[in-house]
Amino acid sequence: MTLANRAAIAGIGATEFSKDSGRSELRLAVEAVSAALADAGLRPSDVDGLVTFTMDGNAEIAVARELGIPELSFFSRIHYGGGAAAATVQQAAMAVATGVADVVVAYRAFNERSGHRFGQVSSAAAGQVNTSGVDNGFHYPMGLATPAATVAMVARRYLHDYGATSEDFGRVAVVDRKHAATNPNAWFHGKPITLADHQASRWVAEPLRLLDCCQESDGGVALVVTAAERARDLRRPPALIAAAAQGSGPGQYVMTSYYRDDLAALPEMGVVGGQLWRQSGITRDDVDVAVLYDHFTPYVLIQLEELGFCGRGEAKDFIRDGTLELDGSLPLNPHGGQLGEAYIHGMNGIAEAVRQVRGTAANQVPGARHVLVTAGTGVPTSGLILAAA
Amino acid sequence: MSAAGIEAAARDIAARGESAPRPARDPVNQAMVNNWVEAIGDANPVYTDEEYARRSIHGGLVAPPAMAQVWTMAGLHGTRADDDPLGAMMAVLDEAGYTSVVATDSEQTYHRYLRPGEHVAASTRLESVVGPKRTALGEGWFVTTRTTWWVGGEAVADMVFRVLKFAPGGQKPSTPDTSAVLRPVISRDTEFFWAGTRAGELRIQRWGGTLRHPPGPLPPDGDLAAKPDWVVAEGTGTVYSYVVHHHPKVPGRTAPFVVALVELTEGVRVLGELLDVRPGDVRIGLPVEVTFVRVDDELTLPAWKVRA
């Protein structure tokens, strides 16, 4: 038995994406879940499972209470920051595939810009009394204390090992912002950037510039997962979960896997990719759209390598001639990604994958049938392949 | 930024030499001379009376030599040239916390008189940066520049100009408040490492013949019966990768600062701040050695400095 095609995403919902939502995170979560249920044509009373990130501030029971979900038979949380995104859908799919639950909603909602900003130094992350706190003891006190800085350490080595340049990172940002520019729901709608803009943006943590870093956003996204057969009877065409996988690699740390032989790599994403191809039976050539986690541009290049779209160190050449454009061979983040649309910890990328499979995206890739989605990078992570029914 | 960092930046700016000559806004002109002598109270008619000047040793009107700097003033809304060494040095000292400035002395030498219609240009180089000095105003650095005024290729005047760039209130800003650094969570598996840094030792966990960093409760082969000890690392290595941190603020540090992942001679990688270095001088492969930054009785951080 495999998980392939046994469950589907039947509904998607989101709040607006902003810099100051003006309401509580719980309110955002409830609005997103409510919108996703309406999209699926389901009611709160149909829901019996909820899944979110360990980082989410909204308890499953709080969401259930507010929405009037009477009983939950399944609730679960996934750890490791944005690495959880696709894994929340995997949890939901496993629950419905095994009959543990019928309708599971995965959600993520936060005031990440107006409230607690992940880009700042987190003394809580440094001071947590557990193994991650002990791990962070070898990094935070030494001054390496922000997500951008932790990525910059790997990015610097990547530039050195493969002769890539800051402009190669910038090309990822330019594509994302180009796509966001024509997505009315994107924060950067109507605001494309040029490579010169990227090169002129200030240093955040060299070799990362401001425009290598994703936005900070307020907002919420929810995804309704149910069994594939049931999804076929609902309002929307189902987005089949052709594969769902988590991955952690050897010598794994959270953002600081600096002690492996090869620093300029993301082996945990290789672990995810291998499962996705095997589980779904589809090949890289079958992928019509790639929604790759883009909190920082260098990790998009390394993901392309880890997922096998090109060889190690070859991403800079792979993306050079329009590969990632909407009419290229591997359209990237048609919604604009987290650099362009919003940073909802990867969940907005899964919603975009559903729209692409349905054929309803703002920047629709014609005839898209298979969409690859990845979750947070630099951390233990996850991925999905969604397919048209 | 440390004193060594400021000195390194000063050497860098001085090494750039003279700025490109910046032309005066206007040629030497009578209107400006008239205003200036009136304000200063200089009644010498050789500057203002054409007839008198023609009969003087000059044979015509000349401008007061002390106006040299007047001609090349940038104006009310002027900005410094990008290659102006004084501006660059001020920025370094601002960043290091020496935010106030007072001019201390200025020596001008005039090689000849200027005449109306001549167009001067000025160029400047950094001569010296000396400090930190304790002064009545506060701790600071004396910054000396030399400016030369040119007409074509001919030097007509020059000036040695010195300012004190200081931290007001007698504060000593050059070292950020290190007590604010984030503190490590320490477990039974890692306490030997932190005891080591307190003792001025970089201790690396050893399982038989295998070194491991960061340390943990088991050897790489997972042998539950094994017992670790540690070796004191020689403390030398090379930069394997590094970050120059600019934003946002990090407690206990002044940006920009460098954090380096160093491959020790013993073969393991250890992370630490790379001190007293210009970010532009750091590269992968740079030889470094360990140093220790004492925060308080409980905490000493390992760090790196460039190996001579």
Side-chain angles (χ1 to χ4, degrees):
Chain A
M1 183 184 104
T2 76
L3 195 55
N5 302 315
R6 293 170 59 91
I9 299 178
I12 56 175
T15 65
E16 83 287 3
F17 303 133
S18 76
K19 301 298 177 189
D20 186 358
S21 73
R23 48 211 198 274
S24 71
E25 294 189 339
L26 180 56
R27 171 83 198 186
L28 295 176
V30 168
E31 286 181 22
V33 173
S34 192
L37 288 171
D39 185 56
L42 293 169
R43 290 163 303 174
S45 57
D46 294 316
V47 176
D48 56 0
L50 288 171
V51 187
T52 187
F53 298 45
T54 49
M55 274 186 84
D56 199 86
N58 308 294
E60 303 92 307
I61 53 171
V63 171
R65 246 178 6 234
E66 297 307 316
L67 280 172
I69 296 170
E71 295 175 359
L72 291 175
S73 56
F74 177 72
F75 30 91
S76 178
R77 294 209 176 197
I78 306 293
H79 201 37
Y80 306 119
T88 63
V89 174
Q90 184 197 37
Q91 285 284 298
M94 290 193 295
V96 300
T98 53
V100 166
D102 287 330
V103 174
V104 181
V105 184
Y107 64 91
R108 178 78 174 109
F110 52 26
N111 287 320
E112 195 278 327
R113 180 60 183 78
S114 66
H116 172 63
R117 300 171 63 180
F118 301 169
Q120 305 293 309
V121 176
S122 170
S123 53
Q128 55 189 318
V129 184
N130 54 36
T131 57
S132 292
V134 174
D135 290 347
N136 288 341
F138 291 98
H139 308 99
Y140 276 68
M142 286 69 165
L144 192 87
T146 63
T150 59
V151 173
M153 189 68 78
V154 175
R156 171 67 68 188
R157 188 71 201 188
Y158 183 83
L159 297 179
H160 176 268
D161 285 352
Y162 301 116
T165 66
S166 168
E167 292 196 345
D168 295 318
F169 297 158
R171 283 180 242 281
V172 172
V174 169
V175 167
D176 266 349
R177 291 288 295 270
K178 181 178 179 181
H179 295 169
T182 52
N183 169 12
N185 291 322
W187 178 258
F188 285 121
H189 178 234
K191 291 179 180 161
I193 58 167
T194 64
L195 197 54
D197 294 333
H198 172 272
Q199 289 294 297
S201 68
R202 73 179 190 188
W203 293 120
V204 170
E206 289 179 59
L208 297 190
R209 299 176 182 280
L210 181 65
L211 291 177
D212 288 307
C213 307
C214 74
Q215 313 177 53
E216 299 176 289
S217 304
D218 286 7
V221 169
L223 310 160
V224 178
V225 175
T226 189
E229 316 83 75
R230 182 162 186 195
R232 284 178 222 278
D233 300 331
L234 294 174
R235 284 182 61 198
R236 298 285 198 176
L240 290 172
I241 300 165
Q246 284 188 292
S248 161
Q252 184 76 53
Y253 285 78
V254 175
M255 301 303 282
T256 53
S257 301
Y258 294 165
Y259 309 95
R260 299 159 164 167
D261 287 346
D262 192 0
L263 180 64
L266 294 167
E268 54 279 2
M269 192 56 81
V271 173
V272 169
Q275 295 175 79
L276 294 180
W277 309 129
R278 281 195 302 277
Q279 209 181 104
S280 65
I282 77 161
T283 69
R284 293 167 189 88
D285 289 341
D286 299 324
V287 173
D288 301 307
V289 177
V291 178
L292 301 186
Y293 199 91
D294 57 344
H295 55 355
F296 299 102
T297 57
Y299 281 172
V300 173
L301 300 184
I302 301 179
Q303 283 183 83
L304 290 167
E305 297 165 8
E306 291 290 351
L307 292 164
F309 290 102
C310 58
R312 181 78 68 204
E314 293 172 2
K316 66 180 193 301
D317 306 312
F318 177 75
I319 69 165
R320 194 61 73 90
D321 297 315
T323 307
L324 306 180
E325 306 274 343
L326 291 175
D327 61 356
S329 61
L330 188 69
L332 174 78
N333 299 343
H335 58 317
Q338 302 192 95
L339 284 101
E341 188 185 61
Y343 173 74
I344 313 293
H345 239 169
M347 293 295 266
N348 52 319
I350 302 174
E352 170 67 9
V354 172
R355 287 187 294 266
Q356 288 290 339
V357 164
R358 289 178 178 175
T360 60
N363 296 314
Q364 182 63 44
V365 173
R369 291 192 57 80
H370 300 110
V371 182
L372 169 70
V373 191
T374 60
T377 40
V379 292
T381 187
S382 55
L384 297 172
I385 292 173
L386 299 185
Chain B
M1 189 184 291
S2 66
I6 290 168
E7 284 165 355
R11 279 195 299 278
D12 190 32
I13 293 166
R16 288 181 220 157
E18 196 125 2
S19 62
R22 195 178 202 203
R25 191 156 63 172
D26 301 300
V28 174
N29 64 85
Q30 196 59 42
M32 190 67 89
V33 170
N34 291 343
N35 289 325
W36 192 85
V37 297
E38 196 172 270
I40 296 293
D42 187 339
N44 188 339
V46 78
Y47 302 137
T48 53
D49 182 335
E50 198 166 352
E51 184 55 34
Y52 178 90
R54 194 166 45 240
R55 284 183 278 114
S56 75
I57 188 171
H58 300 296
L61 285 167
V62 291
M67 283 186 76
Q69 200 174 3
V70 171
W71 305 117
T72 51
M73 287 279 177
L76 186 58
H77 304 293
T79 53
R80 291 185 186 279
D82 288 342
D83 65 349
D84 176 58
L86 186 56
M89 197 62 224
M90 294 294 100
V92 168
L93 289 163
D94 278 333
E95 183 81 31
Y98 300 95
T99 51
S100 297
V101 66
V102 60
T104 61
D105 56 286
S106 169
E107 295 168 25
Q108 299 192 346
T109 307
Y110 313 113
H111 304 304
R112 70 162 173 83
Y113 282 83
L114 289 168
R115 291 176 186 275
E118 287 190 298
H119 209 139
V120 299
S123 60
T124 303
R125 63 187 156 87
L126 182 64
E127 286 224 322
S128 69
V129 177
V130 178
K133 298 283 189 192
R134 212 167 271 284
T135 76
L137 291 169
E139 186 184 290
W141 295 72
F142 289 97
V143 178
T144 307
T145 54
R146 179 181 290 271
T147 298
T148 305
W149 283 271
W150 308 87
V151 173
E154 179 192 7
V156 293
D158 52 35
M159 171 177 72
V160 175
F161 182 60
R162 189 170 294 114
V163 300
L164 172 66
K165 191 82 173 122
F166 65 100
Q171 293 152 358
K172 183 180 164 58
S174 55
T175 43
D177 178 13
T178 51
S179 67
V181 298
L182 296 168
R183 305 182 75 90
V185 173
I186 297 173
S187 79
R188 287 280 177 90
D189 304 320
T190 66
E191 60 188 359
F192 77 92
F193 178 87
W194 297 104
T197 58
R198 278 197 298 275
E201 295 178 353
L202 184 61
R203 295 177 182 170
I204 304 298
Q205 191 180 47
R206 178 170 61 183
W207 298 88
T210 305
L211 297 181
R212 175 184 172 179
H213 186 84
L218 287 186
D221 65 5
D223 178 3
L224 282 165
K227 292 262 187 284
D229 61 357
W230 69 75
V231 295
V232 176
E234 199 179 301
T236 58
T238 55
V239 172
Y240 187 78
S241 191
Y242 66 98
V243 173
V244 183
H245 187 95
H246 294 263
H247 299 284
K249 288 195 188 315
V250 175
R253 289 189 169 76
T254 305
F257 62 90
V258 179
V259 180
L261 180 65
V262 167
E263 195 147 80
L264 293 182
T265 309
E266 289 85 354
V268 297
R269 294 180 200 147
V270 181
L271 191 92
E273 186 175 357
L274 179 51
L275 301 169
D276 298 338
V277 68
R278 279 173 292 180
D281 287 347
V282 185
R283 57 185 169 77
I284 288 173
L286 184 70
V288 298
E289 62 190 25
V290 75
T291 184
F292 296 95
V293 177
R294 185 184 176 281
V295 176
D296 52 35
D297 286 349
E298 293 298 311
L299 179 61
T300 294
L301 297 174
W304 312 108
K305 57 185 182 182
V306 177
R307 196 164 9 131

